[in-house]
Amino acid sequence: MTSLSASARAGLESAVPGGVATRAADRLRMAHDASHYLLHPGAVVTPSDAGQVAALLAYGRRTGTALTFRSGGTSLSGQAVTDRLLVDVRRHFRDLTVLDDGQRVRVQPGVVLRHVNARLAPYGRKLGPDPASESACTVGGVVANNSSGMTCGTEFNTYRTLESLVLALPSGTVLDTGAADADARLRAVEPELHAGLLRLRERVRGNPDSVRCVRAQYAMKNTMGYGVNAFLDHDDPADLLTRLVVGSEGTLAFVASATFRTVPVHRHAATGLLVFDSLGAAMAAMPALVAAGPAAIELLDAAALRVAQRDPKADAALRGLAVRGHAALLAEWQESDPAALADRVADAEPVLAGLPLSAPARLSGEPAARAALWHIRKGLYAAVAGARPSGTTALLEDIAVPVEALAGTCAALADLFERHRYADSVIFGHAKDGNLHFMLNERFDGGEAPARYADFTEEMVDLVLGHGGTLKAEHGTGRVMAPYVRRQFGDELYEVMRELKTLCDPEGVLNPGVLLSDDPEIHMRHLKTVPTVEEEVDRCVECGYCEPVCPSRDLTTTPRQRIVLRREIAAAQAAGNTELARELTDDYDYDAVQTCAVDGMCATACPVLINTGDLVKRLRAQEHGRTAAWRGAARRWGATTRGMARGLDLAGTLPPALPETATRAARAVLGADRVPQWQRDLPGGGTPRRPHPAHDPDAVFVPSCLSTLFAPARGGTGVAAALLTLAGRAGVRLLVPDGIGDLCCGTPWSSKGLTEGYRAVRDSVPPVLREASRDGALPLVSDAASCTEGFDRLLDGAGDLRVVDAVAYTAGTLLPRLTVRRRIGSLALHPTCSSARLGLDDALLTVARAVADEVVVPDGWQCCGFAGDRGLLHPELTASATRAEAAAVAARPFDGYASVNRTCEIGLARATGQPYRHLLELLAEVTAP
């Protein structure tokens, strides 16, 4: 489908005013999800509420235009792509309400699963489904795909833990299935649907073959086709509809909100990686291991282990394993009581001792060790896919068989891989549930499927169904298995599913081609090609894990979208479509380059550690890497920062309208990416940095140039003065070196891609720091988290020079020597992207808890997007990035507001109207005599 006609756009705009995007950049950046399918939508529509969704459904029925709902875009089976209208329900549907002290929770479809669990954590509860993609997948996808995961099995999956839904049906009816009169209302407003559901219920129950098939199929994890087990499990049509929508992949109704019954968090666990000499040995051990009662048993074959060894968080034992034909089982026992866990582990130890392991089993209850093991397992798909050859597409299949058939299925799969020449394929998954994931790499040149892929698929289907299994256990039917639903369930149950679709969506406007299809070749169409572009781009598997942490996600583009647009530009150029390539390139500058915060948070979420900021910096360097003015500034940084500070002071003395108007005019002429926008809430200039001598110093203090550029918040001293004060009280001697005014960590140059200026900083600053630190004998202390990170980069390869952030230095060295005399009551704390990447969370909380009785990191906190000067050049970025956090801060009063970077303090103060200060300033106040 090409972009919409003017009349079609007008019709859509009447349904969703201001929510229709038809630019090529908007359509193509949203075309990609984690699957191996690619279709370009005709428009992306972003409704703001259920009323607009109902209007969209009416438009679709009236015009025969199909709609596909999309939220997180982590789908692996082709459910979230379309060449019609793509409806983005992540942007606005983010309400979350905890009910009954955490026993239940009501969530809209755009909320990320990890955020739900974070809100439930204080109550000791969580959602039952626990998919590996929980850091990025949303509740909409959890419901649409009947998510389960690593520990929930079939007992605590979405189907079992869902209580009710608020649905918008294709007819326009909005139904709260949790209302007391839900069934009566359904009968009154949708009599044909109500009667049809009863008819189908009796049809299934009255057919013994259907009952036997359903019981067998849903004894396993199963997301193939519609969840016809609902016809055996529930009686009333409203309840039937609730359960049938689960796993329906957006083909029956829109889920406006879902209410779940939560499950307890088992706070105590013991986890171990059990390594066997072969996959067969691991599978043979399954019966004994399952009998020992673990909450999870995760399988990793030899190829998966080799990839896991490359993960920076892999422990020494895993890194040191000489993997040949090995396989491993990641087993975990969970309990709410430590004594009960100890009993569990004691009962399991004889079982583990009797297993034919390559190395003795080690169960750990240490949180860091356990987190590292689960990090490796949860990121395995993207890590394996990220290691694939450039230009290939990763395909992740997902099956389940009875546990007793696991060993034979694994052996047969390995044989299929060999016969069809898929040499680098891996097998992993939830062995306890008989649920296997396997990944293979294929090159779909021109979007065509090679014969071997078609042949492999047919043989794989025969293999799984021959073992009494299901072709989709967790990832949903999608396009990839839609042609095989009839083969798995048989003609009778397939016809039940077809009638259900017709009852709910008679015009067929919801997600056509997904879950059920009359096209036997649909799984071989619209296959994704992956052109070779840049190193970061080529490794990306488009999983979307990076998106929830990106500060520009609600303004312009996300890291995934920046990457896929690079691919789309390359594809357009290769196809000779110079007009499209030019249009995408022109829009890319603002959408992807200028409004990127280059904060690197994407790398913290990416399983293959892609930092899209590095790509953006290179693109900026291509534009202005040789800018002479900034090269000169690097050599006279003290004078430059003092000049900037005096400019802020001068602007502050004028009537505010004058500098605001002047900078707006200059931006209009010279460009918004060159001239900062002055706003009346900006502070004045700071004070020049000066040397601070110390006899026999304990550390070298390198104050940030931010203290020269910007004055402290009203009533504050600034972090540099606060740290010197704290050190004096603690009896610690800090040396501020001569020439401090000209020293910089290099971040202003590196973030802008100013390569020659950065080179000048790199040449001049390390020698000064080496001399001051006595060749690295003394630590270097930086008082801004972004500068700490900048010095880490600048001094990489500089030998023994050590940089410590002031918060970490205070927590470890100063705080034990200080006396807190008067804590404040409550503190709103904003960590920064740099503090998160530096691993300062524990130090931050240690210092914050010394300052306040109650420390709150507000819901929705993320990188503020101020990003050095981005908040001045593009204040809309900071406004968008801080919106959720500002709402959480405004929900209640606090006695103090703190962060650990002056620009972040400015950004948060602008967003909330509250006086954010550096955390160490507050510590200096509460420790004052």
Side-chain angles (χ1 to χ4, degrees):
M1 183 178 183
T2 57
S3 185
L4 293 181
S5 67
S7 60
R9 181 182 176 109
L12 271 178
E13 283 281 3
S14 66
V16 186
V20 181
T22 58
R23 287 190 317 160
D26 293 322
R27 294 186 295 108
L28 272 54
R29 70 183 172 87
M30 291 290 287
H32 296 245
D33 69 357
S35 76
H36 54 282
Y37 295 97
L38 178 60
L39 295 92
H40 293 154
V44 176
V45 188
T46 308
S48 59
D49 55 39
Q52 290 191 352
V53 172
L56 268 178
L57 291 169
Y59 172 86
R61 292 195 316 275
R62 185 173 67 252
T63 62
T65 305
L67 311 172
T68 293
F69 297 111
R70 167 168 163 156
S71 188
T74 58
S75 303
L76 289 157
S77 300
Q79 303 97 315
V81 293
T82 183
D83 57 359
R84 315 293 177 83
L85 295 183
L86 188 66
V87 184
D88 177 7
V89 299
R90 179 172 65 175
R91 179 71 60 90
H92 296 299
F93 290 85
R94 294 178 183 167
D95 288 349
L96 188 165
T97 304
V98 176
L99 306 169
D100 302 332
D101 291 327
Q103 297 294 311
R104 299 185 303 135
V105 62
R106 183 170 59 247
V107 196
Q108 287 191 315
V111 182
V112 174
L113 186 61
R114 176 174 286 179
H115 296 168
V116 183
N117 287 335
R119 285 284 297 275
L120 290 169
Y123 304 92
R125 311 287 294 184
K126 65 174 185 174
L127 289 181
D130 61 337
S133 59
E134 55 99 19
S135 65
C137 71
T138 60
V139 168
V142 165
V143 174
N145 293 328
N146 187 19
S147 289
S148 51
M150 286 168 279
T151 64
C152 74
T154 57
E155 183 181 2
F156 300 115
N157 65 7
T158 307
Y159 180 91
R160 298 293 179 192
T161 58
L162 183 74
E163 183 175 278
S164 65
L165 297 171
V166 175
L167 298 173
L169 300 176
S171 63
T173 296
V174 176
L175 179 72
D176 182 354
T177 68
D181 64 344
D183 198 67
R185 185 166 185 276
L186 181 62
R187 183 172 58 247
V189 298
E190 298 279 353
E192 291 185 13
L193 176 57
H194 189 277
L197 290 171
L198 288 174
R199 185 173 63 253
L200 291 178
R201 182 194 70 184
E202 294 312 304
R203 179 174 172 177
V204 173
R205 291 181 179 183
N207 187 318
D209 290 338
S210 292
V211 171
R212 279 192 295 272
C213 178
V214 169
R215 294 296 187 210
Q217 285 290 313
Y218 293 94
M220 305 172 285
K221 288 183 176 180
N222 190 348
T223 60
M224 191 72 169
Y226 290 115
V228 289
N229 53 324
F231 290 119
L232 303 185
D233 297 339
H234 297 276
D235 296 321
D236 293 340
D239 292 332
L240 287 170
L241 185 59
T242 299
R243 292 310 183 281
L244 289 164
V245 166
V246 174
S248 65
E249 303 176 24
T251 64
L252 299 181
F254 168 65
V255 176
S257 74
T259 300
F260 290 87
R261 296 181 299 276
T262 62
V263 301
V265 173
H266 297 302
R267 299 188 183 280
H268 303 279
T271 312
L273 192 67
L274 314 177
V275 181
F276 297 81
D277 287 338
S278 68
L279 186 59
M283 293 296 94
M286 282 295 298
L289 197 54
V290 169
I297 307 175
E298 295 294 301
L299 168 68
L300 296 84
D301 77 346
L305 283 172
R306 292 188 190 98
V307 172
Q309 287 179 316
R310 297 197 291 267
D311 193 296
K313 294 187 179 180
D315 65 15
L318 178 57
R319 287 197 300 271
L321 179 66
V323 178
R324 292 180 293 276
H326 293 81
L329 297 173
L330 173 61
E332 179 166 286
W333 283 261
Q334 299 177 350
E335 289 291 341
S336 297
D337 177 74
L341 178 64
D343 291 341
R344 283 269 194 174
V345 171
D347 291 341
E349 283 174 348
V351 175
L352 298 179
L355 297 178
L357 300 175
S358 299
R362 295 180 297 113
L363 295 181
S364 175
E366 204 274 317
R370 291 183 51 249
L373 288 173
W374 280 112
H375 163 81
I376 289 168
R377 168 58 190 89
K378 290 182 178 183
L380 192 57
Y381 156 65
V384 171
R388 74 197 186 285
S390 177
T392 60
T393 299
L395 292 79
L396 184 67
E397 292 292 355
D398 161 52
I399 63 172
V401 296
V403 173
E404 59 269 20
L406 264 180
T409 303
C410 286
L413 280 174
D415 179 62
L416 281 181
F417 295 151
E418 183 175 353
R419 285 196 290 109
H420 292 283
R421 306 182 313 283
Y422 288 117
D424 298 320
S425 298
V426 299
I427 299 174
F428 57 98
H430 317 306
K432 182 185 173 190
D433 301 312
N435 178 194
L436 297 176
H437 304 318
F438 59 91
M439 201 202 80
L440 48 88
N441 298 320
E442 187 56 272
R443 192 179 298 273
F444 296 126
D445 292 332
E448 297 296 324
R452 70 165 180 170
Y453 174 58
D455 293 342
F456 171 87
T457 301
E458 288 295 324
E459 292 186 42
M460 183 271 293
V461 168
D462 289 341
L463 165 66
V464 174
L465 297 185
H467 280 297
T470 175
L471 298 169
K472 280 296 173 184
E474 293 186 318
H475 299 162
T477 310
R479 298 172 182 277
V480 70
M481 284 296 147
Y484 299 102
V485 176
R486 184 189 292 272
R487 191 185 302 186
Q488 178 167 320
F489 283 92
D491 291 341
E492 168 59 17
L493 284 172
Y494 185 75
E495 291 306 319
V496 168
M497 295 181 189
R498 292 298 302 265
E499 187 171 341
L500 171 65
K501 169 67 172 174
T502 301
L503 277 170
C504 291
D505 182 21
E507 285 85 11
V509 299
L510 292 185
N511 217 3
V514 167
L515 199 142
L516 301 179
S517 177
D518 293 326
D519 181 356
E521 299 294 324
I522 194 169
H523 62 309
M524 297 294 169
R525 305 188 197 283
H526 308 296
L527 296 166
K528 185 185 293 181
T529 59
V530 184
T532 297
V533 187
E534 289 111 351
E535 188 272 335
E536 296 91 350
V537 174
D538 294 345
R539 282 191 295 137
C540 177
V541 295
E542 302 177 11
C543 65
Y545 284 25
C546 56
E547 294 190 329
V549 300
C550 178
S552 59
R553 69 179 185 273
D554 290 337
L555 178 68
T556 49
T557 56
T558 66
R560 170 167 62 176
Q561 292 165 3
R562 291 180 174 93
I563 284 174
V564 301
L565 284 173
R566 297 293 292 172
R567 288 176 171 165
E568 291 286 357
I569 292 169
Q573 291 170 338
N577 192 341
T578 55
E579 182 180 352
L580 175 60
R582 187 183 306 110
E583 179 184 351
L584 292 174
T585 301
D586 290 346
D587 289 335
Y588 196 86
D589 184 59
Y590 174 78
D591 290 354
V593 177
Q594 302 306 337
T595 52
C596 177
V598 294
D599 61 343
M601 288 301 288
C602 47
T604 69
C606 176
V608 291
L609 305 178
I610 297 172
N611 186 343
T612 318
D614 292 341
L615 168 64
V616 171
K617 289 176 186 178
R618 287 206 308 276
L619 296 175
R620 290 176 181 172
Q622 292 171 13
E623 180 184 350
H624 48 55
R626 302 177 65 86
T627 302
W630 277 90
R631 186 169 64 249
R635 299 190 178 96
R636 298 181 297 278
W637 190 233
T640 300
T641 53
R642 288 195 300 274
M644 293 176 178
R646 298 294 76 79
L648 285 172
D649 285 339
L650 175 61
T653 65
L654 301 173
L658 289 179
E660 286 177 340
T661 302
T663 52
R664 276 198 300 270
R667 285 161 65 85
V669 174
L670 300 175
D673 301 314
R674 296 178 180 274
V675 180
Q677 175 63 57
W678 188 89
Q679 294 181 2
R680 61 190 67 195
D681 59 1
L682 274 178
T687 56
R689 295 176 291 170
R690 303 188 187 285
H692 181 82
H695 176 68
D696 193 18
D698 299 295
V700 177
F701 175 31
V702 189
S704 168
C705 55
L706 292 174
S707 61
T708 298
L709 287 169
F710 300 110
R714 285 194 304 272
T717 62
V719 61
L723 182 61
L724 289 170
T725 297
L726 290 168
R729 289 175 188 160
V732 172
R733 297 175 296 277
L734 296 182
L735 167 71
V736 178
D738 291 335
I740 183 61
D742 286 321
L743 299 186
C744 182
C745 67
T747 298
W749 290 269
S750 66
S751 65
K752 288 177 173 293
L754 297 162
T755 53
E756 292 198 7
Y758 187 74
R759 190 177 300 117
V761 174
R762 191 181 58 204
D763 290 343
S764 62
V765 172
V768 177
L769 297 182
R770 175 171 296 284
E771 181 180 358
S773 67
R774 300 175 184 176
D775 281 331
L778 302 176
L780 302 164
V781 180
S782 168
D783 63 1
S786 61
C787 298
T788 306
E789 195 173 26
F791 278 123
D792 269 346
R793 287 191 298 267
L794 189 73
L795 301 176
D796 185 31
D800 298 328
L801 298 186
R802 296 170 292 139
V803 183
V804 183
D805 189 79
V807 173
Y809 188 74
T810 298
T813 302
L814 304 185
L815 191 57
R817 307 182 187 189
L818 297 171
T819 300
V820 176
R821 304 180 186 278
R822 49 190 175 280
R823 284 186 179 86
I824 63 176
S826 59
L827 176 69
L829 178 64
H830 173 77
T832 71
C833 52
S834 293
S835 69
R837 288 195 305 272
L838 289 166
L840 296 179
D841 289 354
D842 289 344
L844 267 177
L845 290 175
T846 296
V847 176
R849 287 167 181 158
V851 168
D853 294 324
E854 179 192 13
V855 178
V856 176
V857 177
D859 290 336
W861 94 266
Q862 64 171 12
C863 169
C864 69
F866 209 93
D869 63 358
R870 289 297 108 179
L872 302 176
L873 296 171
H874 295 288
E876 69 275 17
L877 174 60
T878 298
S880 177
T882 56
R883 189 170 292 118
E885 184 173 0
V889 169
R892 56 160 289 187
F894 291 91
D895 297 313
Y897 303 84
S899 187
V900 288
N901 224 70
R902 185 68 188 105
T903 52
C904 300
E905 295 159 24
I906 295 170
L908 267 294
R910 176 175 289 176
T912 65
Q914 301 297 339
Y916 274 76
R917 298 162 61 194
H918 197 286
L919 181 61
L920 297 188
E921 292 185 62
L922 300 181
L923 182 65
E925 291 179 1
V926 301
T927 57

